[in-house]
């Protein structure tokens, strides 16, 4: 197993490379850590490699807010488009500086 450094970190605002949604990173898995069923549900022609970081996002699109689990290869930086409107953002983060969110001190996360 080869460990790679994650390109994004907790608090970074990102958007999906293929689909119309964006979000803020709330956790990072060094490699795929979801169910095989979830992985197999991704169409084979766009299914990402498991050997890369995967990100847990508080995500949003034009219709809703939700949680997303996305491979690093499918994410691009998106902080220049402003803050994320997901209602749970304020539970974890204390502010947006124009590029990324900053964790609240009491969250206990260490990034």
């Amino acid at each position: 197993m080869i460990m790679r450094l994650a390109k994004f970190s907790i608090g970074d605002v990102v958007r999906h490379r293929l689909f119309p949604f964006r979000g803020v990173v709330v956790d990072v898995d060094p490699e795929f850590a979801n169910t095989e069923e979830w992985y197999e549900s991704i169409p084979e022609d766009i299914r990402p490699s498991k050997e890369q970081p995967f990100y847990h996002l508080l995500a949003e699109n034009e219709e809703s807010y939700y949680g997303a689990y996305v491979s690093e290869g499918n994410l691009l930086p998106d902080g220049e488009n402003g803050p994320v409107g997901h209602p749970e953002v304020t539970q974890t983060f204390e502010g947006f500086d124009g590029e990324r969110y900053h964790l609240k001190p009491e969250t206990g996360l260490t990034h």
Side-chain angles (χ1 to χ4, degrees):
M1 176 173 73
I2 297 172
M3 296 296 284
R4 291 188 15 198
L5 291 177
K7 181 176 179 181
F8 302 106
S9 60
I10 293 173
D12 286 347
V13 177
V14 294
R15 67 181 168 86
H16 198 282
R17 186 174 61 85
L18 302 174
F19 301 111
F21 72 87
R22 62 195 300 264
V24 58
V25 175
V26 293
D27 199 7
V28 182
D29 293 333
E31 61 181 31
F32 182 78
N34 206 331
T35 65
E36 194 62 27
E37 180 181 46
W38 182 92
Y39 185 75
E40 293 294 327
S41 73
I42 300 169
E44 192 172 350
D45 60 328
I46 61 169
R47 192 177 300 149
S49 165
K50 291 181 180 180
E51 287 78 37
Q52 61 180 317
F54 275 72
Y55 299 84
H56 298 264
L57 308 177
L58 293 177
E60 65 184 13
N61 61 27
E62 290 185 3
E63 291 89 39
S64 65
Y65 301 109
Y66 53 96
Y69 190 64
V70 186
S71 66
E72 183 171 274
N74 280 323
L75 291 176
L76 299 167
D78 197 47
E80 70 273 4
N81 287 314
V84 173
H86 194 294
E88 292 178 31
V89 166
T90 57
Q91 294 173 17
T92 305
F93 302 101
E94 64 181 358
F96 180 73
D97 67 10
E99 292 183 17
R100 61 187 323 275
Y101 283 91
H102 298 278
L103 283 170
K104 287 184 175 180
E106 67 272 14
T107 61
L109 297 173
T110 58
H111 285 51

